[in-house]
Amino acid sequence: MLTNKGKYGLKAMVHLAKLPEGRSTQAAEIAETNGIPKPFLDTILLDLRKAGFVRSKKGPGGGFMLARSADDIHMGQVVRTLDGPIAPIPCARRKNYLPCTDCRDVPTCSVRILMQSVRDAMAEVLDRTTLAQMRDQADPALDSDELAIQDEPHPAGSS
């Protein structure tokens, strides 16, 4: 499950990806725009900076910006940086595996086997999705009413 740290980190990364190249923004602006508690965002941005996804600039006109192109940042890397291994339960992890205390036969546990498939599907989507793709998925020209209309099923024979 994606934690709030992971969710807020993804929101912050998309915010930075929307900036014109070479522009930076203050953490307070990212926090306010995205509904992220500022002290929590500061910690997230520090982790993202240490991992090489963002860089910071001090002084007038300073702030945060992407450290590399949004096309070169894959969401799986970001999620793993902020939340650790991508797995719905600890016994389905590839790294930092933790067996369940109630499991009697790990190799044949049907829950673990299913959750490994879920893990693989999640990782595949996150690892193939770039920050640029995530940024471009949402069309700001559409409001929530238009999205709801687009998602409604169409009656037979209509288009």
Side-chain angles (χ1 to χ4, degrees), residues 39-62:
F40 195 20
L41 179 61
D42 290 338
T43 301
I44 293 166
L45 289 170
L46 179 62
D47 289 344
L48 292 171
R49 188 174 61 77
K50 286 179 183 176
F53 295 116
V54 302
R55 61 187 178 105
S56 57
K57 192 166 70 169
K58 294 186 180 195

Side-chain angles (χ1 to χ4, degrees), residues 2-141:
L2 189 66
T3 66
N4 278 341
K5 184 177 184 181
K7 179 175 76 170
Y8 292 157
L10 292 176
K11 286 182 171 193
M13 292 294 289
V14 170
H15 186 101
L16 293 173
K18 290 179 179 179
L19 295 175
E21 192 172 334
R23 285 256 335 260
S24 63
T25 189
Q26 298 292 315
E29 196 260 317
I30 299 169
E32 183 179 330
T33 302
N34 294 283
I36 304 170
K38 169 82 168 51
F40 195 20
L41 179 61
D42 290 338
T43 301
I44 293 166
L45 289 170
L46 179 62
D47 289 344
L48 292 171
R49 188 174 61 77
K50 286 179 183 176
F53 295 116
V54 302
R55 61 187 178 105
S56 57
K57 192 166 70 169
K58 294 186 180 195
F64 290 90
M65 66 180 70
L66 293 180
R68 56 187 198 249
S69 167
D71 289 313
D72 296 331
I73 299 172
H74 288 85
M75 297 298 83
Q77 299 167 319
V78 176
V79 170
R80 286 181 189 92
T81 294
L82 298 173
D83 280 350
I86 296 171
I89 57 177
C91 69
R93 294 177 182 162
R94 289 189 191 275
K95 294 181 182 177
N96 302 321
Y97 164 83
L98 291 172
C100 298
T101 57
D102 60 345
C103 191
R104 294 186 179 172
D105 189 9
V106 173
T108 63
C109 177
S110 58
V111 173
R112 184 184 65 81
I113 293 167
L114 174 65
M115 291 301 112
Q116 286 176 325
S117 295
V118 171
R119 172 206 63 207
D120 292 345
M122 288 171 52
E124 195 271 326
V125 169
L126 290 168
D127 290 337
R128 78 167 186 247
T129 304
T130 66
L131 177 56
Q133 290 169 319
M134 190 173 173
R135 174 198 62 209
D136 297 342
Q137 282 177 347
D139 183 356

